[in-house]
Amino acid sequence: MGAALLADDRRHPSGRGCGIRWDVAEGLGKVRCRRRKDGCARWYIDFGRRGKLYSARGTPFKDRAMAEHFLASIRVQIAEGTDTARAIERLMPESSQAHRVERWLGRWLEIMRDRTATGERSPNYLRELARWTKSEGHFSWWCGKSIYEIRAGALEDWSQWLAERGISAKTRRNVLGGFRAFVGWLKRRELLASVPSFPEVPIDEYAPRLISAHVQRQILEEIPWERRGAFLAARLGVRPGEIRAADVTDFRVVEGVPGLTIARAIKGPNSNAPTRGTKGRNAAWIPVDEQLRRWIERRLRGVSKEEMLLDRVPLFPNPSARNRQRRWIANTLREEWNRAAAKVGVRVRMYEGTKHSSATAWLAQGSSLQMIQRMLRHADSRSTERYAKLGDLALVDVIRPPARRSRVRRNVDPVWIHGKSGGATPSEYKGIWRGGRDSNPQLPA
């Protein structure tokens, strides 16, 4: 009966039924005494079918007053709306099964699944967490341990155990980051008083292989025209998931300036992966160069008026795709790029040959880091600062004869990038679309 009343009260969090909750809580549990053979009294709280509680976090009740005090605190928690089982678990010994790490990891993973279903979390992130929490996963070191054993020393031992498994430093840092999120959740639930210090994992800075603007154009020309649009967008810093999710309605010409609205991305490698918000969770508008504008205009000429009225018509379709909407999947996008790069005679990843190479070339042409950060939509300036180092180390042929270099630098920082809020002032973009192969002086020419 009590359980039914509590369940009914949870349906009315506004305060209705508060008296009922207190009535149920007040009648929950009884303090009892058991005499041992040596004559000593052992006090405990009897919760009936819910079990017995002999201590408060491992400290035995020394007398009736102590047991009554903790029983009263449990009743208050229940009267305030805390689940009965949860209120009792808080006083169980730290080594009890109720406080096992794997038990709470399971509950946390269920919450992550719910958040993923509502779009708050990325399916890719959930996929990694599920893999790490498996019986042989990277979190398995904590199996059988209590959440109260999560301390700095234990975290260092676990980090060493991960290193001995042979995983890379970057993966180890990602695993530690995932577990830190779990510990932070425990703290928010008031199970832990604080988040302990996590060990730092030094990582060698990765230097991507960059290509010159000339080689980049050669690769793009090897891609059939009907498939090339996705890669023309990629060299402007549009992420693969955003390319796959882009629709024909995302292309707009505002005040004479053509551009793309970037508001969502496909979160997963397959065609049935869900579509969510962008990585930074904010919408942005970016201008497009002349070559991409011509490609999009030709693409739109092949879209009927009926299709234009539909919500989801892909802007960058894969003509050979088997899925209904002909959207790219992650593997085919990479394979198309790799085939074109092989024809040119180079081996370079798509992300490095498009976004990274373009950003490094923009920097070499005189664009400021702030402008590049806004174009690439980096939330942290440190992500953009990497291009300053790459510009010094990479062997790219953006160093042109002085006459041509001075011509390029006449428009070093035209404001052609979306604002911090994701909006744009198209009037600022007028006058930067000039003649030449790619028209935009900020892009590799």
Side-chain angles (χ1 to χ4, degrees), residues 5 107 160 165 193 249-250 338 340 380 402:
L5 289 173
R107 294 183 65 173
Q160 182 61 32
R165 299 194 98 186
T249 54
D250 293 328
N338 292 339
D380 192 337

Side-chain angles (χ1 to χ4, degrees), residues 287-423:
V288 300
D289 63 346
E290 181 66 19
Q291 193 173 2
L292 181 55
R293 181 191 64 81
R294 291 197 306 266
W295 189 95
I296 292 176
E297 288 178 350
R298 184 180 296 186
R299 157 66 180 150
L300 295 181
R301 285 198 293 268
V303 180
S304 65
K305 294 182 179 180
E306 291 77 12
E307 288 179 314
M308 289 295 292
L309 296 176
L310 300 176
D311 290 335
R312 300 299 309 277
V313 178
L315 178 61
F316 304 108
N318 177 9
S320 60
R322 297 180 180 179
N323 56 75
R324 183 174 59 85
Q325 288 191 327
R326 296 190 302 164
R327 293 187 186 272
W328 290 91
I329 62 176
N331 286 341
T332 55
L333 201 62
R334 287 193 297 266
E335 290 169 359
E336 185 71 36
W337 171 268
N338 292 339
R339 277 194 296 267
K343 292 180 180 179
V344 176
V346 296
R347 283 188 68 180
V348 60
R349 296 177 180 177
M350 174 184 165
Y351 222 54
E352 298 173 356
T354 54
K355 176 181 177 180
H356 291 325
S357 294
S358 292
T360 306
W362 297 340
L363 184 65
Q365 291 174 357
S367 296
S368 66
L369 284 174
Q370 291 77 14
M371 301 299 285
I372 295 175
Q373 178 182 355
R374 291 167 63 187
M375 180 65 187
L376 300 182
R377 292 163 289 136
H378 286 160
D380 192 337
S381 61
R382 289 176 295 181
S383 299
T384 315
E385 289 168 0
R386 293 180 61 237
Y387 295 111
K389 299 178 183 179
L390 294 175
D392 295 333
L393 299 175
L395 299 177
V396 292
D397 64 352
V398 294
I399 302 176
R400 298 181 172 88
R404 186 178 182 185
R405 187 162 62 247
S406 62
R407 177 180 63 81
V408 171
R409 289 179 180 272
R410 279 203 299 269
N411 294 300
V412 168
D413 278 335
V415 184
W416 64 290
I417 304 170
H418 68 280
K420 293 181 180 180
S421 63

